[in-house]
Structure formats: C-alpha cells, structure tokens
PDB file of all heavy atoms in Angstrom:
ATOM      1  N   ASP A  49      41.722 -29.693  -9.046  1.00 97.00           N
ATOM      2  CA  ASP A  49      41.129 -29.218 -10.299  1.00 97.00           C
ATOM      3  C   ASP A  49      41.029 -27.694 -10.347  1.00 97.00           C
ATOM      4  O   ASP A  49      40.301 -27.139 -11.167  1.00 97.00           O
ATOM      5  CB  ASP A  49      39.730 -29.824 -10.482  1.00 97.00           C
ATOM      6  CG  ASP A  49      39.776 -31.327 -10.677  1.00 97.00           C
ATOM      7  OD1 ASP A  49      40.636 -31.781 -11.445  1.00 97.00           O
ATOM      8  OD2 ASP A  49      38.965 -32.031 -10.051  1.00 97.00           O
ATOM      9  N   ARG A  50      41.759 -27.027  -9.460  1.00 97.00           N
ATOM     10  CA  ARG A  50      41.637 -25.578  -9.351  1.00 97.00           C
ATOM     11  C   ARG A  50      41.943 -24.874 -10.680  1.00 97.00           C
ATOM     12  O   ARG A  50      41.199 -23.973 -11.094  1.00 97.00           O
ATOM     13  CB  ARG A  50      42.577 -25.057  -8.257  1.00 97.00           C
ATOM     14  CG  ARG A  50      42.496 -23.557  -8.019  1.00 97.00           C
ATOM     15  CD  ARG A  50      41.170 -23.169  -7.401  1.00 97.00           C
ATOM     16  NE  ARG A  50      41.069 -21.737  -7.175  1.00 97.00           N
ATOM     17  CZ  ARG A  50      40.050 -21.131  -6.600  1.00 97.00           C
ATOM     18  NH1 ARG A  50      39.023 -21.853  -6.177  1.00 97.00           N
ATOM     19  NH2 ARG A  50      40.016 -19.836  -6.434  1.00 97.00           N
ATOM     20  N   ALA A  51      43.027 -25.260 -11.350  1.00 97.00           N
ATOM     21  CA  ALA A  51      43.412 -24.577 -12.583  1.00 97.00           C
ATOM     22  C   ALA A  51      42.326 -24.730 -13.650  1.00 97.00           C
ATOM     23  O   ALA A  51      41.986 -23.763 -14.352  1.00 97.00           O
ATOM     24  CB  ALA A  51      44.745 -25.117 -13.094  1.00 97.00           C
ATOM     25  N   THR A  52      41.761 -25.921 -13.765  1.00 98.00           N
ATOM     26  CA  THR A  52      40.698 -26.144 -14.750  1.00 98.00           C
ATOM     27  C   THR A  52      39.476 -25.302 -14.431  1.00 98.00           C
ATOM     28  O   THR A  52      38.882 -24.666 -15.328  1.00 98.00           O
ATOM     29  CB  THR A  52      40.302 -27.629 -14.783  1.00 98.00           C
ATOM     30  OG1 THR A  52      41.427 -28.408 -15.163  1.00 98.00           O
ATOM     31  CG2 THR A  52      39.155 -27.879 -15.755  1.00 98.00           C
ATOM     32  N   TYR A  53      39.094 -25.279 -13.163  1.00 98.00           N
ATOM     33  CA  TYR A  53      37.919 -24.483 -12.776  1.00 98.00           C
ATOM     34  C   TYR A  53      38.182 -22.992 -12.994  1.00 98.00           C
ATOM     35  O   TYR A  53      37.285 -22.250 -13.423  1.00 98.00           O
ATOM     36  CB  TYR A  53      37.542 -24.749 -11.322  1.00 98.00           C
ATOM     37  CG  TYR A  53      36.797 -26.044 -11.107  1.00 98.00           C
ATOM     38  CD1 TYR A  53      37.120 -26.899 -10.049  1.00 98.00           C
ATOM     39  CD2 TYR A  53      35.759 -26.424 -11.952  1.00 98.00           C
ATOM     40  CE1 TYR A  53      36.422 -28.079  -9.837  1.00 98.00           C
ATOM     41  CE2 TYR A  53      35.057 -27.609 -11.747  1.00 98.00           C
ATOM     42  CZ  TYR A  53      35.395 -28.434 -10.688  1.00 98.00           C
ATOM     43  OH  TYR A  53      34.705 -29.606 -10.479  1.00 98.00           O
ATOM     44  N   ASP A  54      39.389 -22.529 -12.693  1.00 98.00           N
ATOM     45  CA  ASP A  54      39.702 -21.112 -12.906  1.00 98.00           C
ATOM     46  C   ASP A  54      39.558 -20.730 -14.382  1.00 98.00           C
ATOM     47  O   ASP A  54      38.983 -19.685 -14.721  1.00 98.00           O
ATOM     48  CB  ASP A  54      41.134 -20.803 -12.437  1.00 98.00           C
ATOM     49  CG  ASP A  54      41.263 -20.765 -10.926  1.00 98.00           C
ATOM     50  OD1 ASP A  54      40.215 -20.759 -10.232  1.00 98.00           O
ATOM     51  OD2 ASP A  54      42.407 -20.736 -10.437  1.00 98.00           O
ATOM     52  N   GLU A  55      40.071 -21.574 -15.251  1.00 98.00           N
ATOM     53  CA  GLU A  55      40.012 -21.281 -16.689  1.00 98.00           C
ATOM     54  C   GLU A  55      38.562 -21.324 -17.196  1.00 98.00           C
ATOM     55  O   GLU A  55      38.143 -20.475 -17.986  1.00 98.00           O
ATOM     56  CB  GLU A  55      40.877 -22.266 -17.459  1.00 98.00           C
ATOM     57  CG  GLU A  55      42.375 -22.101 -17.215  1.00 98.00           C
ATOM     58  CD  GLU A  55      43.201 -23.164 -17.919  1.00 98.00           C
ATOM     59  OE1 GLU A  55      42.616 -23.924 -18.725  1.00 98.00           O
ATOM     60  OE2 GLU A  55      44.416 -23.232 -17.658  1.00 98.00           O
ATOM     61  N   THR A  56      37.811 -22.323 -16.730  1.00 98.00           N
ATOM     62  CA  THR A  56      36.429 -22.435 -17.187  1.00 98.00           C
ATOM     63  C   THR A  56      35.574 -21.301 -16.622  1.00 98.00           C
ATOM     64  O   THR A  56      34.687 -20.784 -17.308  1.00 98.00           O
ATOM     65  CB  THR A  56      35.839 -23.797 -16.782  1.00 98.00           C
ATOM     66  OG1 THR A  56      36.739 -24.840 -17.143  1.00 98.00           O
ATOM     67  CG2 THR A  56      34.505 -24.032 -17.467  1.00 98.00           C
ATOM     68  N   TYR A  57      35.865 -20.903 -15.391  1.00 98.00           N
ATOM     69  CA  TYR A  57      35.133 -19.777 -14.790  1.00 98.00           C
ATOM     70  C   TYR A  57      35.376 -18.494 -15.588  1.00 98.00           C
ATOM     71  O   TYR A  57      34.448 -17.697 -15.795  1.00 98.00           O
ATOM     72  CB  TYR A  57      35.562 -19.590 -13.334  1.00 98.00           C
ATOM     73  CG  TYR A  57      34.964 -18.378 -12.662  1.00 98.00           C
ATOM     74  CD1 TYR A  57      33.602 -18.298 -12.410  1.00 98.00           C
ATOM     75  CD2 TYR A  57      35.772 -17.304 -12.271  1.00 98.00           C
ATOM     76  CE1 TYR A  57      33.044 -17.186 -11.789  1.00 98.00           C
ATOM     77  CE2 TYR A  57      35.232 -16.193 -11.651  1.00 98.00           C
ATOM     78  CZ  TYR A  57      33.869 -16.137 -11.412  1.00 98.00           C
ATOM     79  OH  TYR A  57      33.319 -15.034 -10.801  1.00 98.00           O
ATOM     80  N   ALA A  58      36.597 -18.296 -16.039  1.00 98.00           N
ATOM     81  CA  ALA A  58      36.900 -17.110 -16.846  1.00 98.00           C
ATOM     82  C   ALA A  58      36.075 -17.110 -18.131  1.00 98.00           C
ATOM     83  O   ALA A  58      35.557 -16.064 -18.560  1.00 98.00           O
ATOM     84  CB  ALA A  58      38.390 -17.057 -17.163  1.00 98.00           C
ATOM     85  N   VAL A  59      35.902 -18.288 -18.737  1.00 98.00           N
ATOM     86  CA  VAL A  59      35.059 -18.386 -19.932  1.00 98.00           C
ATOM     87  C   VAL A  59      33.600 -18.111 -19.575  1.00 98.00           C
ATOM     88  O   VAL A  59      32.882 -17.415 -20.311  1.00 98.00           O
ATOM     89  CB  VAL A  59      35.206 -19.782 -20.576  1.00 98.00           C
ATOM     90  CG1 VAL A  59      34.219 -19.945 -21.729  1.00 98.00           C
ATOM     91  CG2 VAL A  59      36.631 -19.997 -21.061  1.00 98.00           C
ATOM     92  N   TYR A  60      33.155 -18.662 -18.460  1.00 98.00           N
ATOM     93  CA  TYR A  60      31.788 -18.443 -17.970  1.00 98.00           C
ATOM     94  C   TYR A  60      31.483 -16.949 -17.843  1.00 98.00           C
ATOM     95  O   TYR A  60      30.448 -16.466 -18.319  1.00 98.00           O
ATOM     96  CB  TYR A  60      31.642 -19.157 -16.625  1.00 98.00           C
ATOM     97  CG  TYR A  60      30.401 -18.836 -15.830  1.00 98.00           C
ATOM     98  CD1 TYR A  60      29.245 -19.583 -15.991  1.00 98.00           C
ATOM     99  CD2 TYR A  60      30.404 -17.807 -14.882  1.00 98.00           C
ATOM    100  CE1 TYR A  60      28.112 -19.318 -15.234  1.00 98.00           C
ATOM    101  CE2 TYR A  60      29.272 -17.527 -14.120  1.00 98.00           C
ATOM    102  CZ  TYR A  60      28.126 -18.282 -14.304  1.00 98.00           C
ATOM    103  OH  TYR A  60      27.009 -18.004 -13.552  1.00 98.00           O
ATOM    104  N   ARG A  61      32.396 -16.215 -17.230  1.00 98.00           N
ATOM    105  CA  ARG A  61      32.185 -14.782 -17.044  1.00 98.00           C
ATOM    106  C   ARG A  61      32.221 -14.040 -18.384  1.00 98.00           C
ATOM    107  O   ARG A  61      31.426 -13.122 -18.636  1.00 98.00           O
ATOM    108  CB  ARG A  61      33.251 -14.207 -16.103  1.00 98.00           C
ATOM    109  CG  ARG A  61      33.136 -14.680 -14.652  1.00 98.00           C
ATOM    110  CD  ARG A  61      31.909 -14.090 -13.951  1.00 98.00           C
ATOM    111  NE  ARG A  61      31.924 -12.639 -14.021  1.00 98.00           N
ATOM    112  CZ  ARG A  61      32.570 -11.832 -13.159  1.00 98.00           C
ATOM    113  NH1 ARG A  61      33.268 -12.377 -12.177  1.00 98.00           N
ATOM    114  NH2 ARG A  61      32.525 -10.533 -13.286  1.00 98.00           N
ATOM    115  N   SER A  62      33.143 -14.413 -19.244  1.00 98.00           N
ATOM    116  CA  SER A  62      33.293 -13.737 -20.524  1.00 98.00           C
ATOM    117  C   SER A  62      32.118 -14.038 -21.453  1.00 98.00           C
ATOM    118  O   SER A  62      31.662 -13.171 -22.205  1.00 98.00           O
ATOM    119  CB  SER A  62      34.601 -14.163 -21.185  1.00 98.00           C
ATOM    120  OG  SER A  62      34.721 -13.637 -22.482  1.00 98.00           O
ATOM    121  N   LEU A  63      31.639 -15.271 -21.410  1.00 98.00           N
ATOM    122  CA  LEU A  63      30.588 -15.707 -22.332  1.00 98.00           C
ATOM    123  C   LEU A  63      29.344 -14.840 -22.211  1.00 98.00           C
ATOM    124  O   LEU A  63      28.762 -14.415 -23.224  1.00 98.00           O
ATOM    125  CB  LEU A  63      30.257 -17.171 -22.065  1.00 98.00           C
ATOM    126  CG  LEU A  63      29.176 -17.804 -22.938  1.00 98.00           C
ATOM    127  CD1 LEU A  63      29.587 -17.787 -24.406  1.00 98.00           C
ATOM    128  CD2 LEU A  63      28.906 -19.239 -22.473  1.00 98.00           C
ATOM    129  N   TYR A  64      28.918 -14.572 -20.982  1.00 98.00           N
ATOM    130  CA  TYR A  64      27.701 -13.777 -20.790  1.00 98.00           C
ATOM    131  C   TYR A  64      27.830 -12.396 -21.428  1.00 98.00           C
ATOM    132  O   TYR A  64      26.897 -11.918 -22.094  1.00 98.00           O
ATOM    133  CB  TYR A  64      27.380 -13.653 -19.298  1.00 98.00           C
ATOM    134  CG  TYR A  64      26.286 -12.639 -19.013  1.00 98.00           C
ATOM    135  CD1 TYR A  64      24.968 -12.919 -19.326  1.00 98.00           C
ATOM    136  CD2 TYR A  64      26.595 -11.390 -18.446  1.00 98.00           C
ATOM    137  CE1 TYR A  64      23.967 -11.985 -19.071  1.00 98.00           C
ATOM    138  CE2 TYR A  64      25.602 -10.466 -18.197  1.00 98.00           C
ATOM    139  CZ  TYR A  64      24.291 -10.766 -18.518  1.00 98.00           C
ATOM    140  OH  TYR A  64      23.304  -9.835 -18.275  1.00 98.00           O
ATOM    141  N   THR A  65      28.973 -11.753 -21.238  1.00 97.00           N
ATOM    142  CA  THR A  65      29.132 -10.399 -21.792  1.00 97.00           C
ATOM    143  C   THR A  65      29.085 -10.427 -23.317  1.00 97.00           C
ATOM    144  O   THR A  65      28.619  -9.458 -23.944  1.00 97.00           O
ATOM    145  CB  THR A  65      30.461  -9.773 -21.319  1.00 97.00           C
ATOM    146  OG1 THR A  65      31.557 -10.543 -21.822  1.00 97.00           O
ATOM    147  CG2 THR A  65      30.529  -9.707 -19.805  1.00 97.00           C
ATOM    148  N   HIS A  66      29.524 -11.513 -23.926  1.00 97.00           N
ATOM    149  CA  HIS A  66      29.543 -11.595 -25.381  1.00 97.00           C
ATOM    150  C   HIS A  66      28.183 -11.960 -25.976  1.00 97.00           C
ATOM    151  O   HIS A  66      27.894 -11.598 -27.129  1.00 97.00           O
ATOM    152  CB  HIS A  66      30.592 -12.608 -25.848  1.00 97.00           C
ATOM    153  CG  HIS A  66      31.994 -12.105 -25.741  1.00 97.00           C
ATOM    154  ND1 HIS A  66      32.770 -12.297 -24.628  1.00 97.00           N
ATOM    155  CD2 HIS A  66      32.773 -11.382 -26.606  1.00 97.00           C
ATOM    156  CE1 HIS A  66      33.961 -11.738 -24.810  1.00 97.00           C
ATOM    157  NE2 HIS A  66      33.976 -11.177 -26.006  1.00 97.00           N
ATOM    158  N   VAL A  67      27.365 -12.712 -25.235  1.00 97.00           N
ATOM    159  CA  VAL A  67      26.089 -13.170 -25.809  1.00 97.00           C
ATOM    160  C   VAL A  67      24.879 -12.467 -25.198  1.00 97.00           C
ATOM    161  O   VAL A  67      23.744 -12.747 -25.590  1.00 97.00           O
ATOM    162  CB  VAL A  67      25.926 -14.700 -25.649  1.00 97.00           C
ATOM    163  CG1 VAL A  67      27.077 -15.430 -26.313  1.00 97.00           C
ATOM    164  CG2 VAL A  67      25.801 -15.103 -24.182  1.00 97.00           C
ATOM    165  N   ARG A  68      25.096 -11.551 -24.271  1.00 97.00           N
ATOM    166  CA  ARG A  68      23.973 -10.908 -23.574  1.00 97.00           C
ATOM    167  C   ARG A  68      22.957 -10.296 -24.538  1.00 97.00           C
ATOM    168  O   ARG A  68      21.745 -10.526 -24.412  1.00 97.00           O
ATOM    169  CB  ARG A  68      24.508  -9.825 -22.622  1.00 97.00           C
ATOM    170  CG  ARG A  68      23.423  -9.033 -21.902  1.00 97.00           C
ATOM    171  CD  ARG A  68      24.058  -8.054 -20.949  1.00 97.00           C
ATOM    172  NE  ARG A  68      25.069  -7.248 -21.638  1.00 97.00           N
ATOM    173  CZ  ARG A  68      26.121  -6.683 -21.041  1.00 97.00           C
ATOM    174  NH1 ARG A  68      26.300  -6.852 -19.738  1.00 97.00           N
ATOM    175  NH2 ARG A  68      26.978  -5.966 -21.733  1.00 97.00           N
ATOM    176  N   ASP A  69      23.415  -9.520 -25.501  1.00 97.00           N
ATOM    177  CA  ASP A  69      22.483  -8.865 -26.419  1.00 97.00           C
ATOM    178  C   ASP A  69      21.703  -9.893 -27.232  1.00 97.00           C
ATOM    179  O   ASP A  69      20.503  -9.707 -27.507  1.00 97.00           O
ATOM    180  CB  ASP A  69      23.228  -7.909 -27.344  1.00 97.00           C
ATOM    181  CG  ASP A  69      23.794  -6.694 -26.604  1.00 97.00           C
ATOM    182  OD1 ASP A  69      23.360  -6.447 -25.460  1.00 97.00           O
ATOM    183  OD2 ASP A  69      24.673  -6.017 -27.167  1.00 97.00           O
ATOM    184  N   ASP A  70      22.371 -10.955 -27.638  1.00 97.00           N
ATOM    185  CA  ASP A  70      21.678 -11.998 -28.394  1.00 97.00           C
ATOM    186  C   ASP A  70      20.644 -12.716 -27.528  1.00 97.00           C
ATOM    187  O   ASP A  70      19.550 -13.067 -27.999  1.00 97.00           O
ATOM    188  CB  ASP A  70      22.678 -13.006 -28.943  1.00 97.00           C
ATOM    189  CG  ASP A  70      23.563 -12.418 -30.046  1.00 97.00           C
ATOM    190  OD1 ASP A  70      23.068 -11.543 -30.788  1.00 97.00           O
ATOM    191  OD2 ASP A  70      24.727 -12.819 -30.150  1.00 97.00           O
ATOM    192  N   LEU A  71      20.968 -12.956 -26.252  1.00 97.00           N
ATOM    193  CA  LEU A  71      20.003 -13.592 -25.350  1.00 97.00           C
ATOM    194  C   LEU A  71      18.783 -12.707 -25.165  1.00 97.00           C
ATOM    195  O   LEU A  71      17.645 -13.194 -25.137  1.00 97.00           O
ATOM    196  CB  LEU A  71      20.663 -13.884 -24.000  1.00 97.00           C
ATOM    197  CG  LEU A  71      21.825 -14.868 -23.999  1.00 97.00           C
ATOM    198  CD1 LEU A  71      22.353 -15.069 -22.586  1.00 97.00           C
ATOM    199  CD2 LEU A  71      21.416 -16.209 -24.611  1.00 97.00           C
ATOM    200  N   HIS A  72      18.993 -11.398 -25.048  1.00 95.00           N
ATOM    201  CA  HIS A  72      17.869 -10.473 -24.920  1.00 95.00           C
ATOM    202  C   HIS A  72      17.022 -10.481 -26.187  1.00 95.00           C
ATOM    203  O   HIS A  72      15.778 -10.404 -26.114  1.00 95.00           O
ATOM    204  CB  HIS A  72      18.386  -9.069 -24.635  1.00 95.00           C
ATOM    205  CG  HIS A  72      18.997  -8.921 -23.281  1.00 95.00           C
ATOM    206  ND1 HIS A  72      19.493  -7.728 -22.795  1.00 95.00           N
ATOM    207  CD2 HIS A  72      19.204  -9.821 -22.280  1.00 95.00           C
ATOM    208  CE1 HIS A  72      19.973  -7.895 -21.584  1.00 95.00           C
ATOM    209  NE2 HIS A  72      19.807  -9.161 -21.250  1.00 95.00           N
ATOM    210  N   ALA A  73      17.676 -10.567 -27.350  1.00 96.00           N
ATOM    211  CA  ALA A  73      16.940 -10.617 -28.618  1.00 96.00           C
ATOM    212  C   ALA A  73      16.079 -11.879 -28.686  1.00 96.00           C
ATOM    213  O   ALA A  73      14.925 -11.843 -29.138  1.00 96.00           O
ATOM    214  CB  ALA A  73      17.907 -10.555 -29.794  1.00 96.00           C
ATOM    215  N   LEU A  74      16.628 -12.998 -28.237  1.00 94.00           N
ATOM    216  CA  LEU A  74      15.866 -14.241 -28.232  1.00 94.00           C
ATOM    217  C   LEU A  74      14.692 -14.165 -27.259  1.00 94.00           C
ATOM    218  O   LEU A  74      13.608 -14.695 -27.533  1.00 94.00           O
ATOM    219  CB  LEU A  74      16.780 -15.415 -27.860  1.00 94.00           C
ATOM    220  CG  LEU A  74      17.834 -15.797 -28.916  1.00 94.00           C
ATOM    221  CD1 LEU A  74      18.811 -16.810 -28.336  1.00 94.00           C
ATOM    222  CD2 LEU A  74      17.168 -16.344 -30.165  1.00 94.00           C
ATOM    223  N   SER A  75      14.903 -13.516 -26.118  1.00 90.00           N
ATOM    224  CA  SER A  75      13.821 -13.332 -25.161  1.00 90.00           C
ATOM    225  C   SER A  75      12.688 -12.527 -25.785  1.00 90.00           C
ATOM    226  O   SER A  75      11.503 -12.854 -25.646  1.00 90.00           O
ATOM    227  CB  SER A  75      14.349 -12.625 -23.917  1.00 90.00           C
ATOM    228  OG  SER A  75      13.307 -12.328 -23.011  1.00 90.00           O
ATOM    229  N   ARG A  76      13.048 -11.447 -26.502  1.00 89.00           N
ATOM    230  CA  ARG A  76      12.024 -10.629 -27.165  1.00 89.00           C
ATOM    231  C   ARG A  76      11.310 -11.433 -28.253  1.00 89.00           C
ATOM    232  O   ARG A  76      10.100 -11.332 -28.424  1.00 89.00           O
ATOM    233  CB  ARG A  76      12.659  -9.381 -27.764  1.00 89.00           C
ATOM    234  CG  ARG A  76      13.115  -8.372 -26.712  1.00 89.00           C
ATOM    235  CD  ARG A  76      13.468  -7.027 -27.362  1.00 89.00           C
ATOM    236  NE  ARG A  76      14.591  -7.148 -28.289  1.00 89.00           N
ATOM    237  CZ  ARG A  76      15.867  -7.016 -27.944  1.00 89.00           C
ATOM    238  NH1 ARG A  76      16.192  -6.783 -26.670  1.00 89.00           N
ATOM    239  NH2 ARG A  76      16.840  -7.128 -28.845  1.00 89.00           N
ATOM    240  N   LEU A  77      12.080 -12.223 -28.986  1.00 90.00           N
ATOM    241  CA  LEU A  77      11.497 -13.027 -30.059  1.00 90.00           C
ATOM    242  C   LEU A  77      10.489 -14.026 -29.480  1.00 90.00           C
ATOM    243  O   LEU A  77       9.396 -14.208 -30.039  1.00 90.00           O
ATOM    244  CB  LEU A  77      12.601 -13.771 -30.809  1.00 90.00           C
ATOM    245  CG  LEU A  77      12.155 -14.680 -31.975  1.00 90.00           C
ATOM    246  CD1 LEU A  77      11.460 -13.846 -33.037  1.00 90.00           C
ATOM    247  CD2 LEU A  77      13.360 -15.404 -32.553  1.00 90.00           C
ATOM    248  N   ALA A  78      10.835 -14.650 -28.377  1.00 85.00           N
ATOM    249  CA  ALA A  78       9.907 -15.591 -27.735  1.00 85.00           C
ATOM    250  C   ALA A  78       8.650 -14.863 -27.293  1.00 85.00           C
ATOM    251  O   ALA A  78       7.539 -15.377 -27.413  1.00 85.00           O
ATOM    252  CB  ALA A  78      10.582 -16.261 -26.548  1.00 85.00           C
ATOM    253  N   GLY A  79       8.815 -13.627 -26.797  1.00 75.00           N
ATOM    254  CA  GLY A  79       7.671 -12.829 -26.388  1.00 75.00           C
ATOM    255  C   GLY A  79       6.772 -12.470 -27.542  1.00 75.00           C
ATOM    256  O   GLY A  79       5.534 -12.512 -27.455  1.00 75.00           O
ATOM    257  N   GLU A  80       7.373 -12.128 -28.679  1.00 62.00           N
ATOM    258  CA  GLU A  80       6.589 -11.776 -29.873  1.00 62.00           C
ATOM    259  C   GLU A  80       5.778 -12.966 -30.360  1.00 62.00           C
ATOM    260  O   GLU A  80       4.630 -12.840 -30.788  1.00 62.00           O
ATOM    261  CB  GLU A  80       7.518 -11.272 -30.966  1.00 62.00           C
ATOM    262  CG  GLU A  80       8.138  -9.900 -30.664  1.00 62.00           C
ATOM    263  CD  GLU A  80       9.295  -9.560 -31.609  1.00 62.00           C
ATOM    264  OE1 GLU A  80       9.548 -10.378 -32.518  1.00 62.00           O
ATOM    265  OE2 GLU A  80       9.924  -8.504 -31.412  1.00 62.00           O
ATOM    266  N   ARG A  81       6.350 -14.157 -30.288  1.00 55.00           N
ATOM    267  CA  ARG A  81       5.659 -15.338 -30.782  1.00 55.00           C
ATOM    268  C   ARG A  81       4.543 -15.775 -29.852  1.00 55.00           C
ATOM    269  O   ARG A  81       3.664 -16.539 -30.253  1.00 55.00           O
ATOM    270  CB  ARG A  81       6.658 -16.492 -30.975  1.00 55.00           C
ATOM    271  CG  ARG A  81       7.582 -16.260 -32.175  1.00 55.00           C
ATOM    272  CD  ARG A  81       8.484 -17.435 -32.426  1.00 55.00           C
ATOM    273  NE  ARG A  81       9.228 -17.267 -33.655  1.00 55.00           N
ATOM    274  CZ  ARG A  81      10.161 -18.090 -34.087  1.00 55.00           C
ATOM    275  NH1 ARG A  81      10.472 -19.153 -33.373  1.00 55.00           N
ATOM    276  NH2 ARG A  81      10.798 -17.861 -35.232  1.00 55.00           N
ATOM    277  N   ARG A  82       4.579 -15.319 -28.601  1.00 51.00           N
ATOM    278  CA  ARG A  82       3.512 -15.671 -27.663  1.00 51.00           C
ATOM    279  C   ARG A  82       2.293 -14.801 -27.875  1.00 51.00           C
ATOM    280  O   ARG A  82       1.214 -15.131 -27.420  1.00 51.00           O
ATOM    281  CB  ARG A  82       4.004 -15.522 -26.217  1.00 51.00           C
ATOM    282  CG  ARG A  82       5.044 -16.544 -25.798  1.00 51.00           C
ATOM    283  CD  ARG A  82       5.194 -16.542 -24.285  1.00 51.00           C
ATOM    284  NE  ARG A  82       5.651 -15.276 -23.774  1.00 51.00           N
ATOM    285  CZ  ARG A  82       6.918 -14.983 -23.550  1.00 51.00           C
ATOM    286  NH1 ARG A  82       7.859 -15.881 -23.835  1.00 51.00           N
ATOM    287  NH2 ARG A  82       7.278 -13.821 -23.069  1.00 51.00           N
ATOM    288  N   THR A  83       2.476 -13.613 -28.491  1.00 40.00           N
ATOM    289  CA  THR A  83       1.355 -12.677 -28.588  1.00 40.00           C
ATOM    290  C   THR A  83       0.504 -12.946 -29.806  1.00 40.00           C
ATOM    291  O   THR A  83       0.892 -13.637 -30.713  1.00 40.00           O
ATOM    292  CB  THR A  83       1.900 -11.240 -28.664  1.00 40.00           C
ATOM    293  OG1 THR A  83       2.769 -11.116 -29.801  1.00 40.00           O
ATOM    294  CG2 THR A  83       2.651 -10.890 -27.402  1.00 40.00           C
TER     295      THR A  83
END
C-alpha cells in the first residue's frame, strides 16, 4: 500500500498549510464564546 500512503501523506502535509489560518480562527472563536 506504499503508493496509496505516499499520496495520502502528501495530502495530509498540504492540507494543514491550506487550513492553518482557518483552524486558528476557529480556535479564537471558541475562546471568545467561552468568555
């Protein structure tokens, strides 16, 4: 399954860089709602 894992790992690495800012925004939003 090496080829499948390699392709999915590439998506895994790329996904974080694309959604990082949105994840941080959601973290802040959760913090605001707790206060």
Side-chain angles (χ1 to χ4, degrees):
D49 294 316
R50 182 69 180 183
T52 299
Y53 282 136
D54 286 349
E55 292 176 9
T56 311
Y57 175 67
V59 174
Y60 169 90
R61 292 290 304 275
S62 174
L63 180 62
Y64 170 73
T65 63
H66 285 91
V67 302
R68 177 177 52 206
D69 292 344
D70 291 328
L71 297 181
H72 291 182
L74 290 171
S75 175
R76 289 192 297 271
L77 180 61
E80 290 167 3
R81 288 184 173 175
R82 291 195 298 266
T83 58

